[in-house]
């Protein structure tokens, strides 16, 4: 019996953590992104690659917030899913968690084609923090994992090119201020999931853009691609051209590494991950999506530890195969004013038994391409793209999930017409309300109650509105953040200082000024301001609710670090004592406590913190803070439970 393609709601239950509240402090410090090329290496790159590596790299997370409120305590939780299914494939999509395809199941063989994570455990890998592994992830914005990794997207049914239905996901990407959509459909009797992607630039100026589709597959798979060379990038931040590694080489890599394959222009775009029998997943696309990549964790202790960290011990590891707009993820591409870029991807099973034999990578890749051409000709992918393009503007039918209201706010501001991706005014929420009033009335509303300030919009048009609005303390605060984002540091400081004169709530302004002092190298004054800010917050906070607890934890952490930097340990200890007891028990703060004890010359007690054990839930990708602190309290090697190092060890 043939099953007509369907889209249905489903609820899946996973061991999962609560995401918790976002960090309420605006991210004013320069972005610490590990995926960047050192300046000295750019002269050795091809001219077009060097130009795109240097094209407007992201310097700030604003207007996004840091997501660091999650922990490591998992419990069974229900997660809303949307399932697209025909008689051959079943794709499970999580619209509330970045629109990720969590599973792609091939019915005739009874096999899962992706790495399906059995848990939901965020870690600090996204540009703004929380990210989770597994499935197919849609990365838009800038180098790194998208800020939308665990955010809800809009979703709806839309007519598909073959007369059936497709699932549309769409949202407003805030780092570059760009709307995008992802259309997923399963033609009748198809073994391939089709994915049409469109990114639009509605602005009157060019915008740098970025896209990588990130596909997690079991790590023992043999990865094949039509390329003989690759650009290798490791956590030592060096990008260099190497021969494309063979499967045995990849399996023995000691540390995490990226391989960006250099596909010849005339070759079909595809990448496959096959098991020892030659069966697995293949991804192919129209030529616009030119890049292909492999990421592996490596066999070292740090890579193994990260694998366990992101899932559960004993569940098997994964690697990532990816496809992007540029040759490497270190590049951004120019999207011209009032233009768009679009392409089609296809995901499905491939059986190439000959690749299981001991043949060269080139011979195996040639066989895979022949098999791919037999089951999904290149011309058919191009034809499917042409058939989809007229449907990209089709208006959504039944709404299946709702994303943020930021797109609606921008459409309200500009009256842009964006066929196919409606950002309805009904999606505006509490976060957007002050900005809607600024747009409509020319001023920000006075806060009705004492609470941490909301999100700041930093695009030039919003800054212009703030500059002409009545100069209330809240307006000056937000204006200062927008000016800081623009690199206008002196003006930002003046705005925050003006606000201090009348502001009923001082700590948000004092914290901003403390960051400015640190940036200027005035660390003593920064420590003074952090002390004053934390004292003001402790007097102002109204309860132990999520927002105040998050603000206290975030400001307390920064204050302690600033005070320890100038050896003011007594004041740092005073801040520590005023943190909520539950905050002090979190792994991040246990690490801070060890550093504080060491600064107080209590080395044995600092070592005892390690011996008791802690887990820093928001440990940053590539961070080595735990290892550095361990080296100061112990002479023996770093225990494996704390070893998250992702680059070769020195010496």
């Amino acid at each position: 019996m043939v099953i007509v393609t369907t889209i249905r709601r489903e609820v899946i239950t996973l061991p999962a953590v609560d995401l918790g509240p976002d960090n309420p402090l605006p991210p004013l410090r320069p972005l610490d992104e590990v995926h960047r090329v050192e300046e000295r290496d750019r002269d050795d790159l091809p001219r077009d690659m060097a130009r795109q590596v240097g094209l407007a790299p992201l310097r700030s997370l604003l207007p996004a917030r840091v997501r660091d409120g999650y922990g490591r305590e998992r419990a069974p939780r229900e997660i809303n899913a949307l399932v697209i299914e025909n008689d051959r494939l079943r794709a499970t999509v999580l619209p509330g968690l970045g629109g990720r395809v969590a599973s792609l199941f091939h019915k005739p063989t009874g096999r899962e084609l992706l790495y399906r994570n059995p848990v939901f455990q965020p870690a600090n890998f996204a540009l703004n923090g929380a990210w989770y592994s597994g499935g197919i992830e849609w990365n838009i914005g800038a180098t790194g994992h998208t800020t939308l990794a665990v955010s809800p997207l809009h979703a709806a049914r839309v007519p598909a090119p073959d007369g059936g239905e497709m699932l549309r996901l769409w949202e407003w990407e805030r780092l570059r201020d760009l709307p995008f959509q992802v259309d997923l459909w399963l033609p009748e009797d198809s073994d391939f999931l089709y994915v049409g992607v469109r990114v639009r630039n509605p602005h009157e100026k060019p915008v740098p853009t970025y896209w990588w589709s990130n596909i997690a597959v079991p790590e023992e798979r043999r990865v094949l691609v039509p390329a003989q060379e690759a650009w290798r990038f490791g956590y030592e931040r060096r990008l260099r051209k190497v021969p494309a590694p063979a499967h045995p080489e990849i399996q023995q890599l000691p540390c995490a590494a990226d391989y960006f394959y250099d596909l010849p222009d005339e070759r079909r775009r595809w990448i496959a991950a096959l098991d020892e029998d030659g069966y697995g997943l293949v991804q192919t696309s129209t030529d616009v999506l030119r890049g292909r990549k492999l990421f592996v964790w490596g066999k070292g202790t740090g890579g193994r530890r990260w694998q366990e960290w992101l899932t559960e011990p004993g569940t098997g590891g994964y690697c990532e195969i990816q496809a992007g707009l540029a040759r490497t993820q270190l590049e951004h591409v120019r999207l011209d004013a009032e233009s768009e870029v679009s392409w089609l991807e296809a995901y499905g099973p491939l059986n190439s038994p000959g690749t299981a034999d001991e043949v060269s990578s080139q011979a195996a890749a040639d066989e895979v391409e022949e098999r791919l051409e037999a089951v999904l000709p290149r011309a058919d992918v191009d034809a499917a793209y042409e058939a989809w393009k007229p449907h990209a503007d089709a208006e959504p039918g039944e709404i299946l999930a709702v994303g943020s209201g930021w797109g609606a706010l921008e459409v309200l501001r500009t009256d842009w017409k964006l066929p196919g991706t409606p950002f309805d005014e009904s999606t505006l929420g509490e976060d957007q309300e002050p900005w809607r009033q600024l747009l409509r009335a020319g001023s920000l509303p006075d806060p009705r109650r004492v609470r941490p300030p909301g999100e700041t919009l930093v695009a030039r048009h919003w800054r212009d509105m703030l500059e002409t609005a009545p100069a209330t303390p809240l307006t000056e605060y937000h204006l200062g953040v927008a000016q800081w984002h623009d690199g206008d540091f002196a003006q930002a400081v003046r705005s925050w200082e003006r606000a201090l004169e009348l502001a009923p709530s001082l700590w948000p302004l004092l914290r901003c000024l403390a960051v400015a002092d640190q940036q200027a190298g005035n660390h003593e004054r920064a420590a003074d301001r952090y002390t004053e800010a934390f004292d003001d917050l402790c007097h102002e906070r109204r309860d132990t609710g999520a927002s105040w607890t998050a603000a206290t934890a975030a400001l307390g952490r920064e204050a302690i670090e600033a005070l320890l930097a100038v050896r003011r340990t007594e004041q740092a200890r005073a801040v520590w004592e005023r943190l909520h007891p539950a905050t002090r028990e979190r792994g991040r703060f246990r690490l801070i406590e060890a550093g504080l004890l060491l600064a107080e010359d209590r080395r044995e007690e600092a070592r005892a913190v390690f011996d008791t054990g802690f887990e820093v839930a928001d440990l940053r990708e590539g961070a080595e803070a735990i290892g550095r602190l361990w080296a100061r309290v112990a002479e023996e090697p770093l225990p494996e439970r704390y070893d998250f190092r992702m680059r070769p060890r020195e010496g």
Side-chain angles (χ1 to χ4, degrees):
M1 176 181 176
V2 175
I3 299 177
V4 177
T5 301
T6 61
I7 300 173
R8 70 174 189 276
R9 290 185 172 92
E10 190 172 279
V11 175
I12 61 176
T13 301
L14 291 177
V17 303
D18 187 347
L19 280 169
D22 291 351
N23 189 320
L25 306 182
L28 300 177
R29 292 180 176 81
L31 185 67
D32 182 23
E33 172 52 44
V34 298
H35 301 95
R36 68 171 187 266
V37 182
E38 298 293 352
E39 198 74 36
R40 66 176 183 270
D41 292 335
R42 293 188 187 178
D43 291 342
D44 298 329
L45 300 178
R47 183 175 300 176
D48 62 331
M49 184 184 292
R51 182 176 64 252
Q52 293 188 156
V53 165
L55 178 61
L58 196 66
R59 304 298 184 192
S60 167
L61 273 179
L62 289 166
R65 286 281 182 92
V66 173
R67 310 201 72 167
D68 59 3
Y70 54 90
R72 301 259 325 150
E73 299 77 32
R74 295 194 287 265
R77 299 180 189 274
E78 293 185 345
I79 298 174
N80 291 326
L82 298 171
V83 177
I84 315 170
E85 186 171 16
N86 66 4
D87 61 338
R88 310 289 294 177
L89 282 175
R90 181 170 64 245
T92 303
V93 181
L94 307 181
L97 294 171
R100 189 170 306 206
V101 180
S103 169
L104 187 60
F105 184 78
H106 188 232
K107 296 180 181 182
T109 59
R111 298 195 192 191
E112 174 62 54
L113 299 179
L114 305 173
Y115 170 77
R116 183 171 187 171
N117 198 330
V119 305
F120 172 67
Q121 176 58 65
N124 192 357
F125 278 71
L127 286 165
N128 62 334
W131 173 89
Y132 64 109
S133 63
I136 306 172
E137 170 192 9
W138 317 113
N139 280 301
I140 182 174
T143 296
H145 291 284
T146 177
T147 60
L148 297 168
V150 295
S151 296
L153 304 189
H154 301 281
R157 300 179 192 270
V158 182
D162 61 356
E165 288 186 322
M166 61 184 175
L167 172 63
R168 174 164 299 160
L169 305 168
W170 73 98
E171 213 0 313
W172 194 275
E173 200 289 309
R174 300 177 67 202
L175 296 181
R176 303 299 195 185
D177 260 343
L178 300 177
F180 71 96
Q181 71 189 76
V182 179
D183 290 352
L184 306 98
W185 76 101
L186 287 168
E188 186 176 327
D189 298 326
S190 174
D191 275 317
F192 284 84
L193 172 69
Y194 285 175
V195 182
V197 182
R198 175 168 64 171
V199 182
R200 288 192 275 203
N201 175 14
H203 302 283
E204 296 178 348
K205 62 180 181 179
V207 176
T209 192
Y210 170 97
W211 183 280
W212 281 82
S213 301
N214 181 3
I215 309 136
V217 295
E219 69 175 336
E220 68 271 12
R221 298 292 191 260
R222 182 181 188 181
V223 175
L224 295 163
V225 66
Q228 298 185 44
E229 294 182 304
W231 292 91
R232 185 191 185 281
F233 183 80
Y235 285 82
E236 63 275 17
R237 293 178 174 172
R238 303 298 301 273
L239 185 66
R240 55 190 177 87
K241 193 77 162 287
V242 298
H247 183 61
E249 296 174 64
I250 292 169
Q251 293 295 97
Q252 297 304 315
L253 286 172
C255 297
D258 297 325
Y259 288 94
F260 300 101
Y261 294 104
D262 197 10
L263 276 65
D265 289 342
E266 71 279 2
R267 294 297 295 266
R268 182 176 183 176
R269 293 349 190 184
W270 62 267
I271 189 168
L274 308 181
D275 64 18
E276 59 185 8
D277 297 321
Y279 181 87
L281 172 80
V282 65
Q283 186 270 1
T284 188
S285 71
T286 47
D287 289 352
V288 166
L289 204 66
R290 65 174 298 187
R292 292 300 184 276
K293 172 197 167 181
L294 166 66
F295 167 77
V296 294
W297 284 104
K299 296 297 182 184
T301 304
R304 296 296 91 200
R305 188 71 182 100
W306 274 117
Q307 292 268 37
E308 294 176 350
W309 193 253
L310 292 164
T311 179
E312 287 185 333
T315 56
Y318 74 96
C319 63
E320 295 170 356
I321 57 175
Q322 304 188 24
L325 284 174
R327 274 176 291 187
T328 75
Q329 288 176 327
L330 309 170
E331 303 168 68
H332 299 89
V333 299
R334 174 188 168 109
L335 189 56
D336 288 334
E338 299 178 330
S339 71
E340 64 182 50
V341 60
S342 63
W343 62 90
L344 184 90
E345 303 180 48
Y347 297 81
L350 191 80
N351 189 19
S352 183
T355 59
D357 301 331
E358 291 299 323
V359 296
S360 71
S361 294
Q362 185 60 47
D366 290 343
E367 178 174 327
V368 167
E369 187 154 339
E370 290 178 10
R371 293 272 181 166
L372 176 59
E373 187 65 21
V375 297
L376 185 64
R378 186 178 190 177
D380 286 4
V381 174
D382 291 339
Y385 170 67
E386 293 299 328
W388 166 72
K389 281 201 301 184
H391 292 263
D393 284 347
E395 288 306 309
E398 179 190 2
I399 300 297
L400 300 173
V402 178
S404 79
W406 296 114
L409 185 67
E410 292 301 324
V411 169
L412 189 64
R413 180 184 68 83
T414 60
D415 198 30
W416 277 324
K417 307 303 179 185
L418 301 170
T421 55
F423 293 96
D424 193 84
E425 194 169 347
S426 65
T427 63
L428 292 169
E430 183 180 1
D431 289 338
Q432 294 83 40
E433 181 57 25
W435 302 95
R436 187 188 70 83
Q437 292 198 39
L438 175 64
L439 185 63
R440 291 281 176 83
S443 63
L444 288 173
D446 291 329
R448 296 181 179 179
R449 56 190 173 90
V450 176
R451 59 178 178 177
E455 298 190 46
T456 301
L457 295 179
V458 296
R460 187 71 209 197
H461 43 266
W462 291 107
R463 174 180 168 174
D464 290 345
M465 280 185 259
L466 289 168
E467 287 178 336
T468 57
T472 66
L474 182 62
T475 300
E476 295 281 19
Y477 163 80
H478 285 300
L479 176 58
V481 175
Q483 291 166 333
W484 184 269
H485 173 263
D486 280 348
D488 199 347
F489 302 134
Q491 282 284 18
V493 168
R494 282 193 283 272
S495 295
W496 293 326
E497 288 177 338
R498 283 196 303 269
L500 276 177
E501 298 175 8
L502 297 174
S505 182
L506 302 180
W507 66 266
L509 298 159
L510 289 168
R511 182 265 176 177
C512 290
L513 289 167
V515 174
D517 286 333
Q518 288 178 322
Q519 186 108 328
N522 195 336
H523 298 289
E524 289 288 351
R525 190 167 67 179
D528 290 339
R529 279 177 161 157
Y530 266 121
T531 301
E532 188 179 353
F534 191 74
D535 185 65
D536 184 68
L537 170 59
C538 289
H539 282 99
E540 182 178 285
R541 64 188 181 194
R542 295 295 186 262
D543 51 46
T544 57
S547 62
W548 285 111
T549 299
T552 304
L555 184 59
R557 172 180 168 180
E558 290 187 11
I560 291 171
E561 291 170 349
L563 289 163
L564 290 180
V566 293
R567 303 181 184 277
R568 288 157 63 169
T569 55
E570 288 187 12
Q571 289 177 292
R573 173 61 65 180
V575 172
W576 170 265
E577 296 295 341
R578 297 174 79 180
L579 295 172
H580 293 104
T583 297
R584 293 199 296 264
E585 292 303 313
R586 289 167 52 185
R588 167 61 65 182
F589 288 86
R590 295 284 287 157
L591 179 63
I592 290 172
E593 181 185 22
L596 177 56
L597 288 166
L598 195 61
E600 293 170 331
D601 201 24
R602 297 158 68 181
R603 187 168 179 267
E604 291 185 4
E605 292 175 73
R607 167 64 188 264
V609 173
F610 281 89
D611 293 341
T612 301
F614 58 85
E615 293 184 321
V616 181
D618 63 329
L619 187 69
R620 184 64 175 164
E621 173 190 12
E624 299 180 357
I626 294 179
R628 287 194 296 268
L629 191 58
W630 171 263
R632 296 173 61 196
V633 302
E635 296 179 359
E636 56 262 47
L638 181 67
E640 288 189 5
R641 66 182 297 184
Y642 298 124
D643 190 350
F644 294 89
R645 291 172 291 192
M646 298 177 70
R647 61 177 178 167
R649 301 182 188 182
E650 299 176 0

